[in-house]
Amino acid sequence: METVSIPCLFRCPISLELMKDPVTLCTGVTYDRENIQRWFEEGRLSCPSTMQVLHTLELTPNHTLRKLIQAWCSSNPGMHCIQETREPANEKEIQKLLLKIRNAPTKLGNLRKLADLANRNERNRISIAASGGPSVLICTLSRTRNEAEIMLGEEALAVLASLPIHEAKKECIKSLKSPITIDIICWFLCKGNFHARLHAAQILHGLLSSDQNFKAVFRPDEETFHNFDLLLRDQCHQATETALEILLTVSPVRRNRMRAVEAGVANTLIELLPEAEKGIAQKALSLLEILCQSAEGRASVCGNPMGIRVLVKKIARVSELATEATIGALWHIFKNCKTSSVLREIEEAGAYPKLFFLLQIGCSSSTRQRAKEILRTQGPRSWKTNPCCILADQLKAGELKHQDFHVAKLTVHGRIRALAN
């Protein structure tokens, strides 16, 4: 150690020694896990380097820096390489730590140690869940009277969000689904920082996914839907996906559809779709179809200048499931908002060539039926007089010569594809 110069990047800013387990704070500064946890245990709630007060004590493992340190240690004889993985904790250690947290719920150090164990590996998270961890963490969540206790609650929420709830005991799951606990989680969803809101949403999503009966218990209010909308707007992919999955689960209930639309979810989805990647776009279009089943949802989509245009553009561009959802949303609008302005907007957006193209390439029976219903509104004045349709009719009627059949068929599909694009 004395003969080798350790790069500054590999030194912990607290101890100035080689980092064994580099973790990054919300300020962007990286420390050795052991040193920064000791800093927190001494009651300090700021970044040692910047002295900035931390809005969360969450530690993010810096895997890239860890690998660089490992490579550097391997290339320098005499340096002890840091371990790639750490052994899981035994159940007695976890139970002892949970007992300490239960007996001293305001002591941050024990909670941070539990978070460290949960961050290590899946086996530890299963052991924490099976040892009654959720019940202990719920007790910590309920102590949110002042700023320090709220920070404790946010730490407990982060650990709770990482646990496999299905591994917990029945009494733990029951207490987690109680109205009091749900109210506390929703409080963090509305009042907490970004990480707390994300963790609260992840817990709610886990409960909704694991228990169909929980949907009847979970009755989100207007403010909760507003915060789901904020998560949708966030640049974090995980936050957007979690919010989408929750909304897809609760929105089939009419009361929830109305609140989602009132919170601006439909407009947010329309803004999100143009740049959304495949998975997000598919979920967003499925949610829009559900929202368009209500008058409020249809009015929101039609009232947005880009609403119908965005839907039309996504036909046959994302996935088969997304196309079915898109046609479903347009069909609900077409059936219930058949005004001249809406029909004109559908036509100007290029919907009819795309629908005709969809019928040519094939789709599900329900989607085909809905596409035909929308196309029939045009009658002979528009899509039936289109050169593509005339050529298709000639092919069907056998009016073209046999040698021209293949060329004409390619021409039809080429023209339809060009119009659809």
Side-chain angles (χ1 to χ4, degrees), residues 169-185:
K169 298 177 181 178
K170 289 184 178 180
E171 55 268 25
C172 291
I173 298 176
K174 186 177 180 180
S175 62
L176 187 57
K177 294 176 181 177
S178 69
I180 295 175
T181 304
I182 297 302
D183 286 344
I184 294 171
I185 293 173

Side-chain angles (χ1 to χ4, degrees), residues 42-307:
E42 292 171 356
R44 302 184 182 98
L45 303 178
S46 59
C47 175
S49 296
T50 65
M51 298 310 296
Q52 179 181 343
V53 177
L54 302 174
H55 60 78
T56 176
L57 301 185
E58 184 171 4
L59 303 177
T60 304
N62 194 327
H63 298 296
T64 302
L65 183 57
R66 182 183 177 88
K67 290 180 180 179
L68 289 173
I69 294 175
Q70 284 177 324
W72 180 81
C73 289
S74 300
S75 62
N76 287 275
M79 299 300 297
H80 297 288
C81 292
I82 58 179
Q83 297 297 316
E84 182 65 33
T85 58
R86 290 176 285 175
E87 290 297 319
N90 59 59
E91 291 187 13
K92 288 184 178 179
E93 181 185 352
I94 290 175
Q95 290 172 356
K96 185 177 179 180
L97 186 55
L98 289 172
L99 182 61
K100 287 182 178 179
I101 296 172
R102 187 184 293 276
N103 294 335
T106 60
K107 191 172 181 180
L108 181 61
N110 292 330
L111 191 58
R112 289 304 311 159
K113 289 178 182 178
L114 185 68
D116 180 43
L117 292 177
N119 289 332
R120 286 188 188 181
N121 49 58
E122 182 65 18
R123 182 173 169 182
N124 280 356
R125 291 190 285 274
I126 292 174
S127 295
I128 294 171
S131 301
S135 295
V136 175
L137 294 168
I138 289 169
C139 292
T140 305
L141 281 176
S142 62
R143 299 175 61 89
T144 53
R145 301 183 186 88
N146 54 50
E147 186 174 348
E149 289 176 345
I150 288 174
M151 185 171 288
L152 280 167
E154 290 173 347
E155 291 300 313
L157 203 67
V159 180
L160 192 58
S162 70
L163 300 182
I165 301 300
H166 60 276
E167 298 286 350
K169 298 177 181 178
K170 289 184 178 180
E171 55 268 25
C172 291
I173 298 176
K174 186 177 180 180
S175 62
L176 187 57
K177 294 176 181 177
S178 69
I180 295 175
T181 304
I182 297 302
D183 286 344
I184 294 171
I185 293 173
C186 288
W187 185 91
F188 278 101
L189 181 69
C190 299
K191 305 296 183 182
N193 57 37
F194 168 74
H195 291 289
R197 290 189 287 112
L198 174 58
H199 294 146
Q202 288 172 330
I203 294 170
L204 292 174
H205 175 245
L207 292 172
L208 287 166
S209 302
S210 63
D211 186 1
Q212 293 294 323
N213 295 327
F214 180 65
K215 296 178 185 178
V217 179
F218 183 51
R219 295 177 178 272
D221 57 17
E222 292 83 354
E223 188 175 7
T224 302
F225 275 103
H226 175 70
N227 283 279
F228 288 148
D229 183 63
L230 290 178
L231 286 175
L232 283 177
R233 293 177 179 272
D234 197 273
Q235 297 299 316
C236 174
H237 179 276
Q238 191 177 21
T240 302
E241 188 169 34
T242 302
L244 278 171
E245 289 175 352
I246 292 175
L247 289 167
L248 280 169
T249 305
V250 302
S251 292
V253 179
R254 175 170 171 74
R255 178 190 66 252
N256 292 337
R257 280 202 301 271
M258 292 176 62
R259 288 179 174 174
V261 173
E262 289 170 359
V265 170
N267 286 314
T268 299
L269 295 175
I270 292 168
E271 295 171 10
L272 183 70
L273 275 169
E275 304 298 329
E277 54 91 14
K278 181 179 177 180
I280 295 294
Q282 184 168 291
K283 289 183 175 70
L285 289 166
S286 298
L287 181 54
L288 271 176
E289 181 188 13
I290 294 173
L291 297 182
C292 283
Q293 293 174 16
S294 66
E296 297 82 5
R298 294 189 292 270
S300 186
V301 173
C302 294
N304 190 307
M306 294 300 297

